[in-house]
Amino acid sequence: NAGVTQTPKFQVLKTGQSMTLQCAQDMNHEYMSWYRQDPGMGLRLIHYSVGAGITDQGEVPNGYNVSRSTTEDFPLRLLSAAPSQTSVYFCASSVTGTNQPQHFGDGTRLSIL
Amino acid sequence: GQQVMQIPQYQHVQEGEDFTTYCNSSTTLSNIQWYKQRPGGHPVFLIQLVKSGEVKKQKRLTFQFGEAKKNSSLHITATQTTDVGTYFCAGPRYGGSQGNLIFGKGTKLSVKP
C-alpha cells in the first residue's frame, strides 16, 4: 500500500494563478482532509470529507475548493493564488472519524510569489 | 471557540535528560491523539487515549489523559537524538463531523548530543 500520496511535492506559483493539489489514498478510508501548516501555527483544517460526494469547510476554507467524486481522491483547488497561501499543505485520511489515527501524506510545499 | 493549547512551544534538552509536553483543551475531549513530526517530514500518529486517567507507555514515551479529559501529557525519559521533532496533540472538533480534528500548535523538541 502506498498510503496517502500527494502531488506535487513542491510548487511555485505567481499571484493570481490557479492550481490543484492532488491527494490519493489506497486504504479505502472514508474520511479525508486537508491541512495547512505555517510556522508557529500548527495544523489548521481547510476542508474535509466524510465520504464520496460529501465535503465541508474547516477552520480556514477561504480561497480553496474541494470535491470528492471517488473514495480515493480528494483534490484541493486554489482558485486565485495569493501570497498568504504560501504554506505546506498536508492531506490526511482515516478509517472513521476522530476515533481513528490520521494518516498523512508527505505534503506539498507551495510558494506564491 | 474551541482551543487546544500546548506548552512549552520549544524545548531544548541535553541528550539523556527527560522531556515533557502538556496539552490543554478548552472543552472535554472524547479522545486525544498524539503525533510526531520530524523536521521536513509529515505528522505521524503515535497514540490515542480514550479513558479518563488513562496512561499508556511506548518504550521511553509515557502518555497520560487527565481525569477530566481536558488535558494530556507526553513524557520522554532519557531523550535521544532520534526524539528530535515537533510533538502535536489533537482532539475532536465539536460542531463538525467525524474526522475533524483540532491540533495544538505543537512543542518543538531539540536534543543536544
Side-chain angles (χ1 to χ4, degrees), chain B residues 1-12:
Chain B
Q2 185 182 5
Q3 294 184 25
V4 173
M5 296 151 288
Q6 280 185 256
I7 54 172
Q9 187 175 1
Y10 301 97
Q11 186 75 57
H12 310 281

Side-chain angles (χ1 to χ4, degrees), chain B residues 19-90:
Chain B
F19 159 77
T20 304
T21 174
Y22 300 92
C23 178
N24 297 293
S25 171
S26 59
T27 62
T28 300
L29 300 171
S30 61
N31 69 83
I32 195 160
Q33 298 175 7
W34 284 92
Y35 292 80
K36 176 184 178 180
Q37 184 178 23
R38 295 182 186 274
H42 60 273
V44 174
F45 174 81
L46 293 177
I47 207 161
Q48 177 176 275
L49 305 171
V50 178
K51 299 177 182 178
S52 170
E54 188 171 14
V55 178
K56 286 189 175 181
K57 293 187 176 183
Q58 289 180 349
K59 296 183 180 179
R60 294 178 295 104
L61 277 62
T62 302
F63 303 84
Q64 187 166 0
F65 202 9
E67 293 291 340
K69 302 183 76 174
K70 294 182 70 174
N71 57 75
S72 181
S73 64
L74 158 59
H75 179 82
I76 302 179
T77 302
T79 55
Q80 301 175 358
T81 55
T82 54
D83 296 324
V84 165
T86 301
Y87 294 85
F88 295 97
C89 62

Side-chain angles (χ1 to χ4, degrees), chain A residues 3-31:
Chain A
V4 179
T5 302
Q6 291 185 237
T7 56
K9 294 190 183 305
F10 302 93
Q11 185 71 49
V12 179
L13 292 178
K14 294 181 179 179
T15 297
Q17 288 185 317
S18 63
M19 80 160 294
T20 299
L21 308 186
Q22 302 291 345
C23 176
Q25 52 92 10
D26 61 0
M27 298 174 283
N28 202 32
H29 285 174
E30 288 295 324
Y31 298 90

Side-chain angles (χ1 to χ4, degrees), chain A residues 31 33 35 37 40-43 45 48 50 59 90 96-102 104-106 109, chain B residues 9 30-31 33 35 37 40-43 45 48 88 92-93 96-101 103-105:
Chain A
Y31 298 90
S33 53
Y35 293 88
Q37 185 174 38
M41 296 296 293
L43 292 151
L45 183 68
Y48 64 98
V50 300
E59 182 184 358
F90 288 103
T96 56
T98 57
N99 293 330
Q100 297 290 330
Q102 304 295 307
F104 284 84
D106 289 339
R109 284 149 182 81
Chain B
Q9 187 175 1
S30 61
N31 69 83
Q33 298 175 7
Y35 292 80
Q37 184 178 23
H42 60 273
F45 174 81
Q48 177 176 275
F88 295 97
R93 186 188 299 274
S97 300
Q98 292 186 350
N100 190 347
L101 287 176
F103 281 80
K105 293 183 178 181

Side-chain angles (χ1 to χ4, degrees), chain A:
Chain A
N1 283 355
V4 179
T5 302
Q6 291 185 237
T7 56
K9 294 190 183 305
F10 302 93
Q11 185 71 49
V12 179
L13 292 178
K14 294 181 179 179
T15 297
Q17 288 185 317
S18 63
M19 80 160 294
T20 299
L21 308 186
Q22 302 291 345
C23 176
Q25 52 92 10
D26 61 0
M27 298 174 283
N28 202 32
H29 285 174
E30 288 295 324
Y31 298 90
M32 297 186 74
S33 53
W34 277 100
Y35 293 88
R36 61 176 289 173
Q37 185 174 38
D38 303 293
M41 296 296 293
L43 292 151
R44 293 184 292 170
L45 183 68
I46 304 172
H47 286 285
Y48 64 98
S49 169
V50 300
I54 306 170
T55 63
D56 205 347
Q57 296 182 350
E59 182 184 358
V60 288
N62 291 342
Y64 307 95
N65 274 357
V66 292
S67 60
R68 184 97 179 269
S69 57
T70 67
T71 298
E72 293 79 18
D73 300 300
F74 191 43
L76 178 72
R77 298 183 187 84
L78 278 70
L79 308 174
S80 178
S84 60
Q85 293 178 304
T86 294
S87 189
V88 180
Y89 291 85
F90 288 103
C91 178
S93 72
S94 64
V95 177
T96 56
T98 57
N99 293 330
Q100 297 290 330
Q102 304 295 307
H103 298 260
F104 284 84
D106 289 339
T108 294
R109 284 149 182 81
L110 182 62
S111 294
I112 315 295
L113 304 179

